[in-house]
Amino acid sequence: MSCVSYVARRRLGFSIDEIGELLALWRDDERPSREVRRIAKDHLLDLEGRIVEMQAMADALRKLVHACHGDDRPHCPILDDLAAEPAAGERLS
C-alpha cells in the first residue's frame, strides 16, 4: 500500500499539511503516538466546530425554505434574508 493511499483512502478530511505530517510520522518507526493523536485530535476539534456552524446554517436555511411559498409571486423570504444587513457580530461567510 502506498503512503498516499494509506491516508487518502480513510477519507477523514485531513488537510494536505496534516497528511504530510501523518505520512512523516507513518514513515518514522520511532514516532511518538502522541504526535499522531495530537494531529487527529486537532482535526477532530476543527471538524466538530465546522459541524456546529453547518448545522446552524442548515437550521437557518430550513426556516427560510419553509417560509418561502415557492409560487408565482415575486416575494421571496430567502432573497429578503440574503439582502438584509448582517446583525451586529454576525460573521459574513
Side-chain angles (χ1 to χ4, degrees), residues 45-57:
L45 291 173
D46 178 59
L47 285 175
E48 289 172 340
R50 289 190 292 168
I51 289 168
V52 168
E53 289 176 3
M54 292 180 76
Q55 188 61 55
M57 287 188 279

Side-chain angles (χ1 to χ4, degrees), residues 1-92:
M1 162 174 42
S2 76
C3 295
V4 174
S5 70
Y6 176 77
V7 176
R9 73 183 188 149
R10 298 298 306 162
R11 293 190 179 106
L12 297 175
F14 286 106
S15 71
I16 297 297
D17 290 341
E18 290 167 331
I19 290 171
E21 288 182 74
L22 290 169
L23 288 174
L25 289 165
W26 184 61
R27 289 183 195 113
D28 181 359
D29 291 336
E30 296 184 19
R31 67 186 165 263
S33 64
R34 80 178 136 281
E35 288 302 311
V36 178
R37 185 176 192 275
R38 178 193 55 79
I39 293 166
K41 187 176 178 184
D42 289 350
H43 182 61
L44 177 60
L45 291 173
D46 178 59
L47 285 175
E48 289 172 340
R50 289 190 292 168
I51 289 168
V52 168
E53 289 176 3
M54 292 180 76
Q55 188 61 55
M57 287 188 279
D59 291 345
L61 187 54
R62 188 175 297 108
K63 289 176 186 175
L64 291 170
V65 167
H66 180 73
C68 181
H69 294 286
D71 55 20
D72 292 332
R73 294 180 289 178
H75 178 260
C76 179
I78 299 167
L79 293 177
D80 292 345
D81 187 78
L82 292 172
E85 291 291 321
E90 186 178 17
R91 235 177 55 177
L92 292 178

